[in-house]
Amino acid sequence: MEAVDGSGAVLQAMAAGQAQIGLPGPGPVLNARASGEDIVMFYNSFAQSLFGLVVPEDSAIQSVADLAGTTVGVGTAEGAEVSYARGILADAGLEEGADYEFLPVGDGGPATAAFERGEIDAYSAAVSDMAIIRARGLPLREITPEEFLGFFGNGYATTGQFLDENREVVVGFARALLRGYEWALQNKEGTLEHCAELNPEEGSDPELASALYDAISARTEPIGEAQLGTFPESGWEDWHQSLLDAGELEAPVDDLHEAYTNEVVEEAAQVVEEAASS
């Protein structure tokens, strides 16, 4: 595992052959495909929206339209939260550079400090950031329009070439994800113990770790009867249209259905089911 700075950096590493699998957001993936990169998402880690627009609880801002003339904080300049927020703001008739500005301020704790210093008026936050900021003592209020809460979040991706040449590896990776996610969603205490082993600093604050688990696990649950890890076609269409409306895509992506596949997860799920029944 190698941590990099946002979805843009993830996709650059994959395009350069420095990573075979990454965890980008759907917006940056569609932008990458529009630029000629053959990126394919194969596992939907966050079936429900990973992000939201938040303001301090006592802020005078009540809706997205009230963000005219403000500065909106984001974790990184090229993160998936930027595409997400830009679509919401464009839907409200606000234009970047004319009506508002984005300011990269980092995640969680640094974002809390940016609010306290008055550098930002709102923040495009991942659910984990929301939990951290609240744990730091700053109550938040979400102003995300309801129609944007259904946008799925980041997922695992690879290149089309790697998938074609190493399908068994990708299916095996998806199988491990399915087993791990299914176990984690049913075993909170065990999951927190494992996370504390991997990240002792985070595990030293049990209250925060518990809040992070609750926030993140709720967004991984599939909507309706969908198979864990699969993508909804309607969600891709919503992301695509939002990017077009926001001007992030200059023209429609012709191969929208080639940006993702559910076949890998379905194949992996079948193997997991057969193993469980035997």
Side-chain angles (χ1 to χ4, degrees):
M1 299 290 287
E2 185 72 29
V4 294
D5 197 12
S7 292
V10 170
L11 292 164
Q12 288 169 12
M14 293 169 64
Q18 297 172 333
Q20 290 70 49
I21 293 174
L23 187 64
V29 165
L30 288 179
N31 275 306
R33 289 194 64 84
S35 299
E37 300 294 343
D38 186 16
I39 304 295
V40 182
M41 295 186 79
F42 64 87
Y43 189 98
N44 187 2
S45 283
F46 294 95
Q48 302 180 45
S49 175
L50 176 60
F51 301 105
L53 272 176
V54 297
V55 296
E57 192 172 62
D58 59 359
S59 171
I61 296 170
Q62 299 297 321
S63 68
V64 177
D66 294 338
L67 292 176
T70 67
T71 299
V72 179
V74 292
T76 64
E78 296 183 341
E81 73 275 15
V82 179
S83 297
Y84 182 76
R86 189 178 282 125
I88 294 174
L89 290 155
D91 186 66
L94 302 182
E95 181 181 350
E96 182 181 0
D99 301 305
Y100 69 92
E101 298 286 350
F102 282 130
L103 178 65
V105 296
D107 303 323
T112 306
F115 267 129
E116 292 173 342
R117 292 194 296 264
E119 295 174 350
I120 59 175
D121 304 284
Y123 184 59
S124 182
V127 291
S128 55
D129 296 321
M130 295 182 203
I132 292 171
I133 293 171
R134 286 169 175 144
R136 295 286 185 269
L138 179 61
L140 296 175
R141 176 163 42 81
E142 190 164 358
I143 59 170
T144 312
E146 185 175 352
E147 60 267 28
F148 284 90
L149 291 174
F151 281 45
F152 62 86
N154 291 30
Y156 286 93
T158 186
T159 63
Q161 180 178 352
F162 188 82
L163 178 58
D164 289 341
E165 297 176 354
N166 302 273
R167 188 174 183 84
E168 289 186 3
V169 173
V170 180
V171 171
F173 187 84
R175 185 169 67 249
L177 287 172
L178 283 174
R179 294 178 65 189
Y181 270 77
E182 288 173 349
W183 188 88
L185 290 172
Q186 298 171 15
N187 297 274
K188 178 177 180 178
E189 294 306 317
T191 300
L192 293 178
E193 289 176 8
H194 289 311
C195 289
E197 292 177 11
L198 293 170
N199 191 336
E201 182 179 357
E202 189 175 276
S204 67
D205 188 339
E207 185 176 344
L208 173 59
S210 178
L212 285 170
Y213 174 93
D214 292 341
I216 293 172
S217 62
R219 302 295 178 110
T220 64
E221 292 280 7
I223 297 174
E225 300 298 320
Q227 163 66 48
L228 182 69
T230 57
F231 293 99
E233 180 178 356
S234 60
W236 279 101
E237 293 171 349
D238 289 342
W239 265 109
H240 187 226
Q241 189 60 53
S242 177
L243 293 172
L244 288 170
D245 292 344
E248 284 207 41
L249 287 175
E250 295 181 0
V253 175
D254 295 331
D255 57 351
L256 183 60
H257 288 89
E258 295 182 21
Y260 70 99
T261 177
N262 285 328
E263 293 179 1
V264 169
V265 167
E266 290 167 353
E267 186 175 337
Q270 184 176 354
V271 175
V272 171
E273 184 177 344
E274 290 173 352
S277 60
S278 64

